């Protein structure tokens, strides 16, 4: 059968809840609006749901050029970057970049939710964060995502995992940008270049999984059984760690849509 795009996620704020959409515009940094916002601590270092799992309960929706955020026990927040600011230096996985602030009200909101001093920062267009040159071409960029513009996972890979688990887990445990159906499990491991609809992508690196896969996105708490990571170790562990899904770099711009055919270029 023809591989097909069946799910698209945009994560407006790094480490927070996604928006599931029917279509998305692909830009050089990934999907438009994806991980352009990030939460940092008082030292300017990014805050991750790996250590603050309740971040997964923060939901964002687009409202023009701003975001509207909701979280348990918190008032609704309208989040907008202070474009007239010089910005500040922030770090994400060792990369130092400039982030625009959102203002004292937004900082008080996230500080109140997390329980320690924190603030929101926005990545403006003029901020350039290169992709690891070991996997990229000169000029490739990424947003506040961990390292690559998009993450792809086959639905069959999750189905195969869930057969092995006592309690199945949703795909959201793995936070993919795009999900593809009509393939064998982990077929993506053998791909080097694909086209989703009319947009081409390089398939550049397996995604190494971490403790974040053990956080239930519905409750923002760690799974006491350590699943699904415990089971993945038994059959998906390699020299570089436990892998599940493949990272993508766009090789063009355009719009991808649910139902798009996926062509294997290489």
């Amino acid at each position: 059968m023809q591989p097909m795009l069946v799910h698209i996620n945009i994560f407006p704020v790094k480490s927070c809840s996604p928006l599931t959409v029917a279509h998305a515009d692909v830009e050089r940094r990934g999907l438009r609006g994806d991980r352009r916002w990030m939460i940092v601590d008082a030292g300017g270092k990014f805050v991750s749901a790996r250590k603050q799992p309740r971040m997964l309960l923060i939901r964002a929706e687009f409202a023009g050029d701003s975001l509207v955020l909701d979280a348990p026990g918190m008032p609704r927040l309208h989040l907008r970057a202070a474009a007239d600011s010089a910005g500040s230096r922030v770090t994400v996985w060792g990369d130092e970049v400039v982030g625009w602030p959102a203002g004292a009200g937004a900082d008080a909101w996230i500080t109140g939710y997390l329980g320690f001093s924190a603030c929101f920062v926005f990545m403006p267009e003029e901020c350039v964060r290169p992709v690891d040159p070991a996997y990229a071409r000169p000029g490739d960029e990424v947003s506040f995502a961990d390292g690559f513009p998009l993450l792809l996972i086959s639905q069959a890979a999750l189905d195969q995992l869930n057969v092995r688990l006592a309690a199945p887990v949703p795909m959201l445990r793995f936070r993919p940008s795009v999900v593809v159906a009509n393939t064998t499990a982990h077929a993506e491991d053998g791909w080097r270049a694909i086209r989703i609809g009319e947009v081409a992508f390089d398939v550049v690196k397996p995604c190494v999984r971490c403790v974040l896969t053990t956080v239930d996105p519905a409750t923002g708490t760690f799974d006491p059984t350590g699943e699904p990571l415990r089971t993945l170790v038994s059959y998906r562990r390699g020299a570089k760690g436990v892998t599940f899904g493949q990272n993508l770099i766009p090789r063009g711009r355009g719009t991808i849509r649910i139902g798009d055919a996926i062509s294997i270029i290489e």
Side-chain angles (χ1 to χ4, degrees), residues 95-128:
D95 295 332
E96 187 176 276
V97 296
V98 171
W100 283 352
D107 295 349
W109 189 94
I110 192 60
T111 293
Y113 182 71
L114 294 178
F116 59 86
S117 181
C119 61
F120 290 100
V121 291
F122 176 78
M123 176 182 280
E125 285 300 310
E126 54 265 38
C127 173
V128 176

Side-chain angles (χ1 to χ4, degrees), residues 9-247:
N9 287 319
I10 294 175
F11 298 85
V13 184
K14 182 178 179 65
S15 265
C16 296
S17 181
L19 283 172
T20 299
V21 297
H23 57 85
D25 293 331
V26 179
E27 302 176 335
R28 69 185 186 279
R29 296 178 182 176
L31 302 182
R32 180 176 295 172
D34 185 76
R35 296 174 177 93
R36 301 306 198 267
W37 284 94
M38 182 171 70
I39 299 166
V40 299
D41 63 18
K45 182 179 179 181
F46 83 102
V47 180
S48 170
R50 295 168 180 83
K51 293 186 177 180
Q52 301 294 330
R54 291 179 65 245
M55 289 173 64
L56 295 185
L57 302 181
I58 300 174
R59 301 186 180 277
E61 293 185 357
F62 295 110
D65 59 354
S66 63
L67 293 179
V68 177
L69 269 57
D70 288 286
M74 301 297 293
R76 178 165 287 190
L77 173 69
H78 289 263
L79 189 64
R80 183 188 296 270
D84 57 346
S85 167
S88 59
R89 307 298 295 185
V90 297
T91 58
V92 51
W93 290 119
D95 295 332
E96 187 176 276
V97 296
V98 171
W100 283 352
D107 295 349
W109 189 94
I110 192 60
T111 293
Y113 182 71
L114 294 178
F116 59 86
S117 181
C119 61
F120 290 100
V121 291
F122 176 78
M123 176 182 280
E125 285 300 310
E126 54 265 38
C127 173
V128 176
R129 182 185 173 215
V131 177
D132 185 340
Y135 302 96
R137 299 178 187 175
D140 285 342
E141 297 180 24
V142 63
S143 64
F144 286 136
D146 278 355
F148 297 90
L150 285 88
L151 171 64
L152 177 149
I153 299 177
S154 60
Q155 179 62 47
L158 180 69
D159 295 343
Q160 183 188 76
L161 168 63
N162 278 335
V163 168
R164 299 167 179 257
L165 296 176
V169 296
M171 183 65 85
L172 191 51
R173 287 285 187 106
F174 299 96
R175 301 174 66 79
S177 308
V178 290
V179 179
V180 55
N182 300 338
T183 72
T184 57
H186 302 288
E188 61 270 30
D189 290 352
W191 300 345
R192 295 297 172 263
I194 63 172
R195 182 171 282 106
I196 302 177
E198 298 301 317
V199 185
F201 300 85
D202 282 347
V203 183
V204 293
K205 182 182 180 293
C207 184
V208 178
R209 311 315 307 216
C210 68
V211 69
L212 188 55
T213 62
T214 69
V215 179
D216 183 346
T219 63
T221 59
F222 287 102
D223 189 320
T225 69
E227 295 290 12
L229 196 56
R230 186 173 69 176
T231 292
L232 284 171
V233 167
S234 70
Y235 76 102
R236 289 292 299 175
R237 188 169 191 168
K240 295 185 177 181
V242 174
T243 63
F244 199 90
Q246 289 282 338
N247 290 294

